[in-house]
Amino acid sequence: MFSTAVDTALVGAIVVLTIAVVAALGFKLSRSYRDLGSDADRATYATLHTAALASEHLRAGLTPTGASKASKHLRGLLRCDTLLITDESAVLAWDGGREMPEQVMDLVHQVLASGRTQIFREAQLGPAAVPGDGQVVISPIRVDKRVVGTVGAFAPHVSAGLVRAANEVAGWVSTQVELAELDSSRTLLMEAEVRALRAQISPHFIYNSLNAIASFINTDPVRARELVVEFADFTRYSFRRHGDFTTVAEELRSIDRYLLLERARFGDRLKVSLEIGPEVLSTVIPFLSLQPLVENAVRHGLESTDGSGHITITAHDAGAFAEVTIEDDGVGMDPDYLRSVLAGHTDGVHVGLRNVDQRLRQVYGEDHGLAIDTAVGAGTMITLRIPKSQPDHQT
């Protein structure tokens, strides 16, 4: 999820871009927005619509394909003969009827080095320039304090209005690239957190599962063979290399395999109750967002005691949400200690809870973290509320 500051920056950039382009085209904004259908209204709508079309192609940042497609829309905004988009080393898009000057990247490198908008006249464009018809304004694309590319507008004459409009377009493209980098960083962070969860599963659960399977090899080889198959299916799902998202149904299937392996170890001491509403099974959720919670219930609801442990898993429809609850009657936790763990101030055996809590907040917003009700000696109840209506995710 993007921060409010970034969203505000995006809206601000589009609004400034709109005002600049409308001014460059010679339109006068009406003081009253009640006069719908005026030239200014139509120009504003056309500008915003064109900017929205261009933004779709810059979601992955400055790429040749995205820049090439976006340039067709951005050239319409600037009303220039040819539009140029570059990164730091190459031309990514050249849209228009002009022949590309041989030394265009030499001009771009001057802008990259200075970090300032520059105007180049016919004499600086080289042999390919048409006499009396060759000027270009090139503006830097900045992300934070780095200049990562440029936007150039070619025209018979570079006016002051075109310079201002080119600067605004470059600023708008800068915002798109910054958003793409934030999205990439979020994805990398989520991948790192999933790897951390896999690392947590690996040493503890795998060791205990293999020991449990080994204990049946001589006494019950058929069951040992069945457990090996379940173990293989569980690890294949947990260590798969594609997709940051899955469904409630897939996650519950993995949990079923996990609990089957744990029952081989604990026997009748582990009791499980399930209450699953079929209407939530197709809900998309972050990968490995339920299994660590069930593992937490087993480890701290059963391993820490000598008696039996009861785990209850429910999933049901809650209006616009799918609500999943995992409850155990184990030793519980001190609420202050839990808050410290979730805030990242304390390392320990409950790191899986913090990991899941962080990923849920990143994907759905700060209001969608884990709701945990616990106390020492009173067990633990963890609740997730996942929006049923979500953007498409690759599972």
Side-chain angles (χ1 to χ4, degrees):
M1 304 298 290
F2 299 123
S3 67
T4 301
V6 174
D7 289 336
T8 302
L10 174 59
V11 173
I14 292 177
V15 171
V16 171
L17 171 62
T18 302
I19 294 173
V21 176
V22 170
L25 294 176
F27 291 116
K28 296 181 179 180
L29 292 175
S30 171
R31 293 183 178 181
S32 173
Y33 289 93
R34 297 177 181 177
D35 184 18
L36 298 178
S38 68
D39 289 344
D41 292 333
R42 287 192 292 271
T44 300
Y45 170 80
T47 301
L48 290 172
H49 180 65
T50 303
L53 292 175
S55 68
E56 295 179 2
H57 304 299
L58 295 174
R59 290 176 180 173
L62 283 179
T63 66
T65 300
S68 178
K69 293 180 178 180
S71 66
K72 300 182 185 304
H73 301 293
L74 297 179
R75 184 164 73 93
L77 285 178
L78 294 179
R79 295 288 180 92
C80 58
D81 291 349
T82 300
L83 184 79
L84 165 75
I85 300 178
T86 78
D87 59 13
E88 296 172 273
S89 59
V91 174
L92 302 179
W94 179 267
D95 188 76
R98 289 173 176 260
E99 183 178 351
M100 186 186 302
E102 295 177 358
Q103 66 269 48
V104 67
M105 282 306 297
D106 294 336
L107 307 181
V108 167
H109 285 140
Q110 293 182 44
V111 175
L112 292 172
S114 67
R116 295 183 295 105
T117 296
Q118 296 189 43
I119 300 173
F120 299 96
R121 307 298 180 182
E122 175 189 328
Q124 298 167 285
L125 300 182
V130 177
D133 191 30
Q135 295 186 9
V136 60
V137 54
I138 302 179
S139 300
I141 299 171
R142 292 187 178 87
V143 175
D144 295 327
K145 296 181 179 181
R146 299 177 291 121
V147 179
V148 300
T150 65
V151 171
F154 289 77
H157 172 70
V158 173
S159 65
L162 181 57
V163 172
R164 289 194 297 271
N167 282 334
E168 297 302 335
V169 168
W172 179 83
V173 173
S174 298
T175 302
Q176 304 305 308
V177 176
E178 183 178 11
L179 290 172
E181 290 194 0
L182 286 173
D183 190 47
S184 176
S185 298
R186 180 181 65 84
T187 300
L188 290 174
L189 179 60
M190 288 184 63
E191 290 175 352
E193 289 172 341
V194 170
R195 287 195 296 271
L197 279 176
R198 288 166 172 160
Q200 177 194 355
I201 292 170
S202 177
H204 178 83
F205 173 73
I206 291 179
Y207 174 80
N208 288 331
S209 294
L210 291 177
N211 274 344
I213 293 170
S215 69
F216 288 103
I217 290 177
N218 293 325
T219 59
D220 193 343
V222 174
R223 188 177 185 194
R225 185 162 55 248
E226 293 172 348
L227 290 174
V228 167
V229 172
E230 296 294 341
F231 177 78
D233 288 341
F234 174 80
T235 54
R236 185 181 301 113
Y237 174 81
S238 298
F239 292 90
R240 70 179 189 179
R241 294 183 177 273
H242 67 281
D244 294 324
F245 293 85
T246 186
T247 62
V248 170
E250 287 291 330
E251 197 82 351
L252 288 175
R253 271 193 285 270
S254 177
I255 289 171
D256 184 60
R257 297 184 184 106
Y258 168 80
L259 291 173
L260 183 66
L261 291 163
E262 290 290 46
R263 286 194 193 94
R265 187 158 65 103
F266 291 110
D268 293 336
R269 288 181 56 203
L270 175 57
K271 296 178 172 58
V272 179
S273 298
L274 296 174
E275 185 180 332
I276 310 298
E279 66 276 7
V280 302
L281 291 176
S282 60
T283 301
V284 174
I285 59 174
F287 179 62
L288 285 183
S289 56
L290 299 183
Q291 191 278 335
L293 307 183
V294 176
E295 181 175 358
N296 180 81
V298 172
R299 292 180 66 180
H300 308 293
L302 188 60
E303 285 187 351
S304 303
T305 65
D306 294 328
S308 62
H310 190 185
I311 297 174
T312 302
I313 303 173
T314 63
H316 64 272
D317 182 278
F321 301 90
E323 188 170 284
V324 181
T325 299
I326 298 168
E327 184 176 6
D328 69 73
D329 59 357
V331 296
M333 288 177 279
D334 177 70
D336 291 334
Y337 169 75
L338 174 62
R339 280 190 288 270
S340 180
V341 169
L342 294 179
H345 300 152
T346 302
D347 294 328
V349 293
H350 296 284
V351 65
L353 294 183
R354 178 172 181 267
N355 189 303
V356 173
D357 181 70
Q358 282 186 315
R359 287 196 294 138
L360 291 173
R361 294 179 189 276
Q362 288 165 5
V363 175
Y364 304 116
E366 285 298 317
D367 294 335
H368 292 282
L370 297 177
I372 304 178
D373 184 12
T374 188
V376 175
T380 300
M381 183 173 70
I382 303 173
T383 303
L384 299 79
R385 286 173 59 84
I386 306 296
K388 290 189 294 185
S389 177
Q390 306 174 43
D392 290 335
H393 296 300
Q394 180 181 355
T395 57

